[in-house]
Amino acid sequence: EHSCDSALSLAPYISLYNIKLMDPLEARDRLEQNDATVAMLNFWEPPIGPGGAAIIAQALQDNTVLTHLYLNGNVIGVEGALAIADALRTNTVLTHLYLGDDNAIRDEGAIAIADALGDNPRSALTELDLGENLIEFDGASALADILQRNVPLTTLYLNDNNIGEAGAEVIAKALLSNVVLTSLSLRNCNIGNGGAFHIARALRRNVTLRRLDLTDNQIGQDGVEEILRALRTRPAAPLLVLVM
């Protein structure tokens, strides 16, 4: 009996591997049919590009089954990101969206995705990967805005984007009022010492964040010490894993 229960609970994961070679058109058809076996969808080789992303996005608008969508490294570009954003305005089921690894969605794509999540009060998205996407200050600012509004996101990957000190500042300001986000990656975002000081000020008040990645950011001794001081004066809160 236990083995049967396990098989049922793993069905969405099994289907992921069964459909990983599916082309976007076939995936669209099954998503539009709300095929119960397609709870997770992963594309990698060959990249589906902006056209493939648009096809998937079209089906996402009314789909009530898919919870995990992996499009890392699929070269979807700004065009693909805009299509995904349109789907996010109405989708109420997707919980995990991975668009990292050189999809080149840039600020325009990040802004569209942030706006869509902010406009959808029924969004279920809790984990968003936008790492390595040529996002700079404007994209970071749009994402900071929705963090300030406490959208359901609990995990955000912004690593390997050149948001700079100014980007870190707007993210830090959002963290002052955010009570949802528990994990944030700003690895290799060129935030420098100044960015570390902004983050430190946020850590003195934010008691929700549990994991923060600041590695590879050219943070000097002053920045490290400021963050350590912030942690010592931080109110009682769940453990923060700080990676420098």
Side-chain angles (χ1 to χ4, degrees):
E1 182 180 350
H2 177 73
S3 61
C4 291
D5 290 343
S6 298
L8 287 173
S9 65
L10 286 173
Y13 297 89
I14 294 170
S15 69
L16 165 67
Y17 294 102
N18 288 340
I19 65 177
K20 66 184 180 182
L21 298 179
M22 187 188 306
D23 65 42
L25 289 172
E26 182 185 352
R28 180 198 62 191
D29 291 343
R30 292 178 65 173
L31 290 173
E32 288 180 343
Q33 295 165 11
N34 280 309
D35 187 332
T37 66
V38 186
M40 304 177 71
L41 191 56
N42 190 351
F43 291 98
W44 62 90
E45 291 291 345
I48 65 173
I55 290 170
I56 298 301
Q58 177 186 349
L60 279 181
Q61 294 189 14
D62 298 312
N63 179 269
T64 59
V65 176
L66 189 75
T67 59
H68 292 60
L69 178 59
Y70 299 82
L71 295 180
N72 296 53
N74 269 277
V75 201
I76 70 171
V78 173
E79 180 184 343
L82 295 180
I84 295 292
D86 282 343
L88 292 176
R89 293 185 187 279
T90 56
N91 184 281
T92 60
V93 179
L94 195 69
T95 59
H96 293 65
L97 176 61
Y98 301 93
L99 300 178
D101 298 338
D102 201 22
N103 265 311
I105 74 169
R106 302 182 181 271
D107 282 341
E108 187 178 352
I111 291 168
I113 288 170
D115 287 348
L117 294 175
D119 290 344
N120 184 355
R122 298 181 60 206
S123 172
L125 200 71
T126 58
E127 185 157 329
L128 177 62
D129 180 3
L130 298 180
E132 197 176 351
N133 264 302
L134 304 177
I135 297 169
E136 299 185 351
F137 171 77
D138 289 344
S141 183
L143 292 162
D145 179 65
I146 61 169
L147 291 178
Q148 196 163 16
R149 293 158 60 186
N150 282 297
V151 297
L153 283 180
T154 59
T155 301
L156 176 61
Y157 298 95
L158 266 182
N159 52 280
D160 302 291
N161 288 297
N162 188 28
I163 70 171
E165 178 182 340
E169 182 177 9
V170 293
I171 295 289
K173 286 181 179 177
L175 291 177
L176 292 173
S177 56
N178 182 276
V179 294
V180 180
L181 195 72
T182 60
S183 181
L184 173 64
S185 176
L186 296 179
R187 174 174 55 82
N188 191 29
C189 282
N190 194 31
I191 72 170
N193 256 356
F197 272 74
H198 292 304
I199 296 294
R201 280 193 286 274
L203 293 180
R204 286 185 168 91
R205 284 178 50 183
N206 180 290
V207 295
T208 308
L209 202 63
R210 296 184 183 183
R211 186 181 189 281
L212 175 64
D213 187 348
L214 297 177
T215 53
D216 300 326
N217 269 300
Q218 298 80 49
I219 298 173
Q221 187 64 29
D222 290 347
V224 172
E225 290 177 356
E226 184 65 16
I227 288 177
L228 291 176
R229 281 192 290 270
L231 293 177
R232 285 194 290 268
T233 59
R234 193 170 184 243
L239 176 65
L240 172 70
V241 180
L242 181 65
V243 186
M244 300 292 294

